[in-house]
């Protein structure tokens, strides 16, 4: 089916993925099942907006996302952001996906975020526009508490009336709901993996072996 004709909810998963790890992979996999998504579109950032320059190139982070997701028929990789040198912002990315030749205006889009990223939403460029472009699904993440009644004030105001636990609401409208979901808690972060690699320690069982082989072959993350 051409992408623009598919009306089933599509997950959109952006990140620095420096490097991609099992926390990301389980988030996307469990989101597919729990939220009844047709697929997840992975969108590695070129130059992330809210952090320093990643340690490895956008092309290498993209290559690692491709390697990690290649054998999963529900995952697709969108390389567009890695090809531009300016900062990556989520709202323009979603506006691009809304073009008629990509997803169009009607297909439900579900932006996948960990709780830490959701809580920082008010720092994002044009963040209030997100709700007209996509639903937001927030995965629980160890170390980040997500309680509807104790959100930062601006975020709480923007989300008022949007929270739902009803997955069916994601397919009945193209955008605008916020749905928390519990995933297998995995206290894995790219920061931890970079630190372990820089310290010469093992990262096995934190990310796929194919990625560890890629990292070793390209001598990545060897410095603090
Ligand atoms: P870093 O440690 O470099 O900040 P990270 O591990 O948080 O990186 P990102 O690429 O920044 O990875 O994250 C992309 C998205 O994945 C974010 O929405 C983030 O909240 C989410 N995420 C990353 N790791 C986990 C995890 N272990 N559990 C749940 N969500 C996660």
């Amino acid at each position: 089916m051409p992408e623009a004709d598919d009306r089933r909810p599509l997950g959109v998963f952006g990140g620095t993925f420096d490097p991609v790890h099992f926390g990301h992979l389980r988030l996307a996999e469990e989101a597919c099942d729990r939220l009844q998504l047709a697929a997840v579109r992975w969108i590695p950032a070129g130059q992330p907006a809210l952090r320093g320059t990643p340690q490895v190139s956008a092309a290498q982070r993209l290559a690692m996302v491709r390697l990690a997701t290649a054998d999963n028929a529900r995952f697709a990789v969108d390389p567009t952001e890695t090809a531009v040198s300016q900062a990556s912002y989520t709202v323009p990315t979603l506006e691009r996906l809304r073009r008629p030749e990509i997803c169009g205006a009607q297909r439900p889009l579900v932006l996948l975020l960990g709780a830490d990223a959701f809580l920082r939403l008010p720092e994002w460029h044009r963040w209030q526009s997100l709700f007209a472009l996509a639903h937001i699904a927030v995965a629980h993440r160890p170390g980040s508490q997500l309680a509807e009644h104790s959100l930062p004030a601006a975020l709480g105001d923007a989300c008022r009336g949007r929270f739902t636990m009803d997955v069916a609401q994601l397919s009945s409208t193209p955008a605008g709901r916020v749905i928390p979901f519990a995933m297998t808690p995995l206290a894995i972060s790219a920061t931890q993996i970079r630190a372990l690699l820089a310290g010469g320690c093992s990262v096995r069982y934190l990310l796929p072996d194919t990625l560890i082989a890629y990292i070793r072959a390209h001598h990545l993350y060897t410095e603090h």
Side-chain angles (χ1 to χ4, degrees):
M1 189 182 327
E3 200 166 36
D5 295 341
D6 195 337
R7 289 283 173 264
R8 297 170 300 162
L10 174 69
V12 177
F13 192 24
T16 312
F17 305 127
D18 185 24
V20 61
H21 53 68
F22 283 134
H24 300 126
L25 290 158
R26 281 305 302 176
L27 186 159
E29 184 75 349
E30 295 190 27
C32 277
D33 289 340
R34 300 263 166 89
L35 308 177
Q36 295 167 16
L37 306 178
V40 170
R41 188 175 183 118
W42 292 66
I43 310 185
Q47 169 56 51
L50 292 177
R51 50 198 287 164
T53 305
Q55 288 197 10
V56 309
S57 72
Q60 288 168 326
R61 288 182 290 106
L62 171 64
M64 289 190 278
V65 172
R66 284 199 197 284
L67 266 180
T69 58
D71 63 353
N72 190 322
R74 298 195 291 190
F75 292 168
V77 180
D78 178 340
T80 312
E81 303 298 325
T82 57
V84 289
S85 51
Q86 311 96 296
S88 299
Y89 295 110
T90 302
V91 166
T93 298
L94 291 170
E95 287 171 339
R96 172 172 62 79
L97 296 184
R98 284 291 180 204
R99 286 190 206 144
E101 70 278 16
I102 307 182
C103 294
Q106 293 308 315
R107 183 170 189 183
L109 297 180
V110 183
L111 181 68
L112 305 178
L113 294 176
D116 59 312
F118 177 69
L119 292 171
R120 294 185 64 190
L121 222 53
E123 297 170 37
W124 290 20
H125 176 60
R126 293 176 57 206
W127 68 279
Q128 308 254 18
S129 302
L130 286 171
F131 303 96
L133 290 161
H135 301 296
I136 300 177
V138 188
H140 296 181
R141 184 171 185 180
S144 293
Q145 293 306 318
L146 182 70
E148 187 181 341
H149 54 272
S150 62
L151 294 177
L155 187 58
D157 287 347
C159 292
R160 191 152 302 121
R162 298 187 184 280
F163 272 97
T164 183
M165 297 304 287
D166 179 8
V167 170
Q169 294 208 9
L170 300 181
S171 45
S172 58
T173 52
R177 310 300 303 199
V178 177
I179 187 163
F181 73 102
M183 60 172 280
T184 305
L186 292 168
I188 302 173
S189 71
T191 302
Q192 170 204 17
I193 291 170
R194 293 192 301 270
L196 289 170
L197 288 164
C201 297
S202 167
V203 292
R204 282 187 82 186
Y205 315 121
L206 295 174
L207 71 173
D209 287 344
T210 48
L211 292 202
I212 298 175
Y214 180 96
I215 287 168
R216 298 259 180 258
H218 293 81
H219 310 289
L220 305 181
Y221 306 114
T222 50
E223 289 168 21
H224 277 293

